Amino acid sequence: MSITRKAVAALFVTGALAAGLAGCAGTPGTPGAAGSGTLTVFAAASLKATFTTLVAEFEGKNPGTKVVLSFAGSSDLATQITQGAPADVFASADTKNMAKLSDAKLLDGTASNFATNVLTIAVPPANPASISSFADLAKPGVKVVVCASQVPCGAATDAVEKATGTTLTPVSEESSVTDVLGKVTSGEADAGLVYVTDVKGAGDKVKGIPFAQSDQAVNTYPIATVGSSKNKELAAAFIALVTGSEGRKTLGDAGFGTP
Amino acid sequence: MDHANNSAYQAIPRWVYALAAAGGLFVLLPLAAMVARVNWPQFIPLITSDASLTALGLSLRTSAASTLLCIVFGVPLALVLARGQFPGQRVLRAFVLLPLVLPPVVGGIALLYTFGRQGLLGKSLEIAGIQIAFSTTAVVLAQTFVALPFLVVSLEGALRTAGTKYEAVAATLGARPTTVLRRVTVPLVLPGLASGAVLSFARSLGEFGATLTFAGSLQGVTRTLPLEIYLQRETDADAAVALSLVLVAVAVLVVGLSYRRGRAWIPAEAAQ
Amino acid sequence: MTFTLDATLGARGFDVSLAVGPGETVAILGPNGAGKSTLMAVVAGLLRPDAGRASIGGRTLFELGPGPHAWTAPHQRGTALLAQEPLLFPHLSALDNVAFGPRSAGASRSASRETARHWLAEVDALPLASRRPGELSGGQAQRVAVARALAADPELLLLDEPMAALDIHAAPMLRRLLRHVLAGRRAIIVTHDVLDALMLADRVIVLEDGRITEEGPTREVLGRPRSRFAAGLAGLNLVTGTITAEGIRTAAGQLFAGQHDDVPGPLTTGPSTSGSDGVAVFPPSAVSVFLSEAHGSPRNSFPVTITDLEPHGDQVRVRAGELSADITPAASADLGLVPGMTVYFVIKAGLVSIYPA
């Protein structure tokens, strides 16, 4: 019978371990605090600067409210919500990931589009390869870094390539736009295709070179209340702020467009 | 080494077994969960896709190359650390082992500022016509950086265990230092060297952060299997899971091989 | 072609000078920690002394200290070392172990194996040629190790307690073998065993606390010991003191009467003269044990406290501090001896040798 005892003990310990880990992963807000104003917002990584500003504004207007922000790639966030992560609001960098949740009936109501973003060419401040147009990126010897087709910025890149009839031979296809920007800011790449907001956010570390065909691939950002939210009123209030005039101004300052 | 089950006293309390079982489960359960998620009907097409095979081939080739580099530089490092006596030895050891505890992405950044276009050596290399960024060489460098400590640690341990007695005897028999190294030291620590090389290979195979930061990601050039998995995960979870399983299988094979090949010889005093 | 050594190591309190002639075998005797292994390591080049010099013939092994510096690496010294453990390379066969020296000296594979076969035959180990060290017994392995050391053709063979790790059956065989191969060969052998010194060495050096305390032909040192260590090895009692007309007076004032023995030894400065330092040496068999002070002869009767009783051959050795007596088991039982008891040691003056220290 000792085997059974050992197994039971092992299971008990495993259970305790799992409970401990679950405790670690949980948000600081407890279910009881939901009514008193704790809001968890899952937002695409590209929204980090703007949403941090907007949350400060929101908390100022609603004393006693606490907003917890979690930034990551949109598909990661969508996966986490699917797996039951306790989010109240989800702001995605593309409509595809929002559609995933909508299709899975995980949203409360419908999503509203609150911003757009377009691609631009980022080059190191000195512009060593003298890039001035999208066609310049296809010149031999130019080290271009883009997003891989599997991620939203890569899909946008493909669309622009198709629209302009230019085929790029990138030296690297990164899995996130921040990695593309990193390769440009470090001077490894001569140019990278990133979002307008990324260039703005990078300050003087990179130079942005807009190109006309960028409107061929406009990325739309939707936001929605998550169905499992226990604080839907507060979530709606936050969404109203983001889609309202304050939100529009902050987003516009960061380079986002209006849908 | 055969333990008769009913003979030896084992000083392990029962509760230790329970905790050990929990620890084992903690590692096995996620692997099992992953296996359970594999889309078996599509498994073969998923892992034999062009992108997958290219990534696997690149991973194996770069890992083999970085293992070779680890041996070339790691063996002398381990020798110097285990046998040498010089000021700064402890500091050198600490630095060599640093990549073990460093987040790989930090390693990638450090490599970038060394071998990158704007880096410490990169500028001179570029003048010499050598470009490392975005090349397979960059992948090998990133893997070597993170894998080197594994070889050094295993080998230094083996060297210390082997001691210097055999080497001293060899020297008094007239063997010059290089002969002692080739004919006595290296054969004595060969099991340690082999397991160090296997660990380095496995670590290289799993390298992700430093590669992503330093080498970029391009099919057939720098996109190794872990990077391919990371990318596939964005759109095709089935492919990511299938490839993860391939990586697990390769890792199990490699580690299993290294532990299965027992000590080829045991010093006489230990055999008695 | 003499080997000379003169070395000091401050940290270990080591200060030794010695010379070994061609074809001469010298045994180094001494208690644990006396510096015997240090001496071997210094000669082999595994340990660097603070100062001193060593040479074989005209060849300098090292010269350290003020003035010119020279250091010959161990592999260029021609001083093969055979240690307590055989230390056969575990990954090589017995044959290739023995061939290691010639191979390192540049001989071809086949020539070095030929040499190895010769030396394996010399130590009666040719049938073991193809075995791995793990497949050899302790005695077999040590024989192969002897062959390996000899195959390197050393100008000076260093043997550091080669018999110490062997069991009592293997040791005599190896001792006979060494006697055979050391004949006419220059060697230094460190040993604990007086038998090794008697059988293998032409000359004995006693090392205590890093210094040479006694030196001379084996028979002389063991027959007329001047150090307590050598006396112990020879199984003799040794008492130091001042020479008087009757014998030796110790620092504590006890008088050990005996026969003046003035045969000059190599270190003897002259005939025993009253007042100079001397020793009284006598075998344990010259000592009788009594429970009370002897009546007839007041000479050489000393009260002692028994510290130990131990079997010694078919006798019982009664130890009392530095002195010991050998008596029959029956006598021991009759007297009811136990450690801690106070008894009288009575020494036959006719068996006590007195000579200068």
Side-chain angles (χ1 to χ4, degrees):
Chain A
M1 279 299 102
S2 75
I3 302 232
T4 325
R5 246 183 58 197
K6 276 179 206 164
V8 169
L11 280 176
F12 171 74
V13 173
T14 318
L17 203 63
L21 291 175
C24 297
T27 53
T30 55
S36 65
T38 296
L39 194 69
T40 304
V41 175
F42 278 22
S46 49
L47 295 168
K48 187 164 185 181
T50 49
F51 268 43
T52 307
T53 312
L54 288 172
V55 158
E57 220 167 290
F58 185 70
E59 284 178 341
K61 280 187 181 170
N62 303 278
T65 323
K66 175 94 187 85
V67 179
V68 179
L69 279 166
S70 173
F71 296 106
S74 299
S75 64
D76 282 339
L77 293 172
T79 308
Q80 285 169 21
I81 292 171
T82 312
Q83 302 283 344
D88 296 303
V89 175
F90 176 45
S92 172
D94 62 353
T95 48
K96 196 178 77 183
N97 280 301
M98 188 60 88
K100 265 196 237 166
L101 296 189
S102 171
D103 293 348
K105 308 258 184 292
L106 291 171
L107 296 182
D108 183 54
T110 53
S112 32
N113 298 336
F114 67 96
T116 60
N117 210 350
V118 291
L119 290 179
T120 189
I121 301 166
V123 296
N127 196 358
S130 312
I131 305 293
S132 59
S133 70
F134 192 81
D136 285 348
L137 298 180
K139 284 194 300 192
V142 177
K143 292 192 172 191
V144 185
V145 179
V146 300
C147 286
S149 306
Q150 286 90 337
V151 293
C153 56
T157 304
D158 289 348
V160 172
E161 278 186 82
K162 201 175 266 175
T164 56
T166 312
T167 308
L168 302 180
T169 47
V171 291
S172 183
E173 296 169 356
E174 305 287 338
S175 47
S176 86
V177 71
T178 39
D179 286 332
V180 176
L181 191 68
K183 298 288 190 295
V184 179
T185 51
S186 67
E188 291 309 302
D190 296 323
L193 278 172
V194 299
Y195 291 115
V196 171
T197 53
D198 296 318
V199 171
K200 276 223 161 182
D204 54 7
K205 277 187 277 184
V206 294
K207 208 164 88 177
I209 296 171
F211 57 96
Q213 304 89 334
S214 66
D215 59 3
Q216 296 298 316
V218 178
N219 228 35
T220 304
Y221 284 59
I223 188 166
T225 304
V226 177
S228 63
S229 169
K230 296 203 170 81
N231 210 341
K232 289 185 176 133
E233 257 174 62
L234 206 57
F238 182 73
I239 292 172
L241 178 88
V242 172
T243 52
S245 56
E246 286 117 310
R248 194 136 293 169
K249 177 166 183 328
T250 307
L251 289 160
D253 288 348
F256 286 102
T258 313
Chain B
M1 294 303 276
D2 286 330
H3 296 287
N5 280 333
N6 52 358
S7 67
Y9 167 72
Q10 293 183 317
I12 303 177
R14 285 186 172 188
W15 57 267
V16 171
Y17 280 102
L19 279 178
L25 272 179
F26 183 61
V27 175
L28 282 177
L29 216 54
L31 289 178
M34 197 180 76
V35 171
R37 274 301 177 90
V38 172
N39 180 349
W40 290 109
Q42 288 297 308
F43 184 69
I44 295 300
L46 282 173
I47 64 165
T48 53
S49 75
D50 185 37
S52 304
L53 288 180
T54 309
L56 179 62
L58 182 68
S59 268
L60 293 177
R61 273 185 289 126
T62 52
S63 298
S66 62
T67 304
L68 200 68
L69 279 182
C70 283
I71 291 173
V72 168
F73 296 110
V75 172
L77 264 173
L79 279 169
V80 162
L81 289 176
R83 295 280 191 266
Q85 282 173 330
F86 54 92
Q89 194 170 7
R90 296 166 74 102
V91 179
L92 176 66
R93 179 181 295 111
F95 276 107
V96 168
L97 301 190
L98 204 57
L100 274 183
V101 292
L102 220 52
V105 62
V106 175
I109 291 173
L111 285 170
L112 198 60
Y113 289 123
T114 311
F115 296 104
R117 266 216 266 183
Q118 313 290 321
L120 205 61
L121 300 178
K123 280 182 199 164
S124 324
L125 288 172
E126 181 133 350
I127 291 166
I130 302 167
Q131 293 197 354
I132 290 176
F134 305 117
S135 69
T136 307
T137 309
V139 177
V140 174
L141 288 183
Q143 290 174 343
T144 306
F145 184 80
V146 297
L148 189 60
F150 285 85
L151 190 120
V152 174
V153 168
S154 319
L155 191 57
E156 197 194 339
L159 282 166
R160 287 186 184 281
T161 309
T164 57
K165 287 190 208 161
Y166 290 103
E167 292 163 12
V169 164
T172 71
L173 291 172
R176 62 190 66 249
T178 304
T179 310
V180 175
L181 178 66
R182 189 171 54 82
R183 295 205 57 207
V184 177
T185 312
V186 170
L188 275 177
V189 298
L190 208 55
L193 178 61
S195 70
V198 165
L199 282 174
S200 296
F201 184 83
R203 180 67 189 86
S204 296
L205 206 59
E207 198 337 273
F208 172 73
T211 310
L212 194 67
T213 316
F214 173 50
S217 172
L218 190 68
Q219 187 177 340
V221 182
T222 54
R223 191 177 294 155
T224 54
L225 201 51
L227 270 69
E228 177 69 22
I229 292 171
Y230 185 65
L231 187 60
Q232 289 295 346
R233 198 184 52 109
E234 294 284 340
T235 49
D236 189 350
D238 283 350
V241 169
L243 287 179
S244 299
L245 194 62
V246 170
L247 203 53
V248 169
V250 174
V252 166
L253 198 74
V254 163
V255 175
L257 272 181
S258 78
Y259 280 99
R260 209 179 54 80
R261 52 154 299 147
R263 294 273 141 80
W265 44 78
I266 301 162
E269 60 268 25
Q272 284 163 4
Chain C
M1 282 303 286
T2 304
F3 164 76
T4 59
L5 169 80
D6 184 354
T8 58
L9 247 122
R12 303 190 192 199
F14 180 87
D15 185 356
V16 165
S17 316
L18 59 85
V20 184
E24 188 186 23
T25 299
V26 172
I28 309 286
L29 298 166
N32 287 329
K36 305 189 297 287
S37 291
T38 302
L39 171 67
M40 296 306 241
V42 165
V43 176
L46 305 174
L47 190 66
R48 194 183 280 260
D50 297 332
R53 62 190 57 77
S55 63
I56 296 185
R59 219 153 50 80
T60 301
L61 298 187
F62 64 83
E63 180 150 13
L64 300 167
H69 266 60
W71 181 258
T72 304
H75 68 272
Q76 293 164 330
R77 291 198 174 193
T79 52
L81 179 67
L82 180 68
Q84 230 179 74
E85 299 164 81
L87 294 175
L88 295 178
F89 307 128
H91 55 288
L92 297 179
S93 67
L95 183 69
D96 285 337
N97 261 285
V98 181
F100 187 90
R103 193 91 177 92
S104 298
S108 72
R109 185 181 299 258
S110 58
S112 56
R113 284 196 171 156
E114 205 41 58
T115 310
R117 270 190 207 95
H118 165 74
W119 284 108
L120 277 177
E122 279 294 294
V123 302
D124 276 340
L126 202 50
L128 309 173
S130 59
R131 294 220 200 150
R132 283 286 168 97
E135 301 164 339
L136 299 175
S137 73
Q140 290 172 331
Q142 195 64 309
R143 263 152 62 203
V144 174
V146 169
R148 181 175 66 172
L150 293 171
D153 194 21
E155 286 187 61
L156 172 61
L157 182 62
L158 302 172
L159 303 123
D160 193 354
E161 302 194 36
M163 252 81 72
L166 297 182
D167 60 52
I168 51 164
H169 303 295
M173 186 181 176
L174 188 73
R175 194 176 287 118
R176 280 199 305 277
L177 173 75
L178 285 176
R179 183 180 168 80
H180 166 63
V181 299
L182 290 182
R185 186 174 288 277
R186 175 166 28 214
I188 298 177
I189 177 168
V190 163
T191 180
H192 269 115
D193 194 335
V194 67
L195 200 53
D196 292 343
L198 280 170
M199 267 185 73
L200 306 175
D202 304 309
R203 196 150 57 85
V204 165
I205 289 174
V206 177
L207 203 58
E208 285 177 284
D209 295 327
R211 274 150 224 275
I212 293 175
T213 52
E214 205 169 341
E215 183 170 8
T218 310
R219 274 175 194 293
E220 173 140 351
V221 169
L222 295 176
R224 275 172 61 102
R226 286 178 180 77
S227 66
R228 182 153 285 138
F229 183 80
L233 278 178
L236 298 171
N237 287 301
L238 181 138
V239 176
T240 57
T242 314
I243 296 177
T244 67
E246 287 174 285
I248 287 285
R249 186 171 296 280
T250 66
Q254 290 175 319
L255 180 72
F256 284 78
Q259 311 295 314
H260 285 280
D261 178 358
D262 288 339
V263 180
L267 296 184
T268 311
T269 44
S272 334
T273 31
S274 289
S276 63
D277 286 347
V279 292
V281 174
F282 49 96
S285 57
V287 184
S288 318
V289 181
F290 294 92
L291 293 179
S292 54
E293 196 156 9
H295 299 292
S297 163
R299 295 211 313 169
N300 284 359
S301 174
F302 307 100
V304 295
T305 303
I306 297 176
T307 48
D308 250 325
L309 294 165
E310 61 191 42
H312 189 82
D314 55 359
Q315 302 278 88
V316 171
R317 177 153 292 183
V318 183
R319 289 191 190 279
E322 305 284 1
L323 299 178
S324 46
D326 281 353
I327 60 174
T328 63
S332 172
D334 284 348
L335 294 167
L337 300 183
V338 289
M341 228 171 127
T342 301
V343 294
Y344 289 85
F345 272 13
V346 177
I347 304 154
K348 295 182 185 73
L351 296 175
V352 178
S353 297
I354 308 291
Y355 48 84

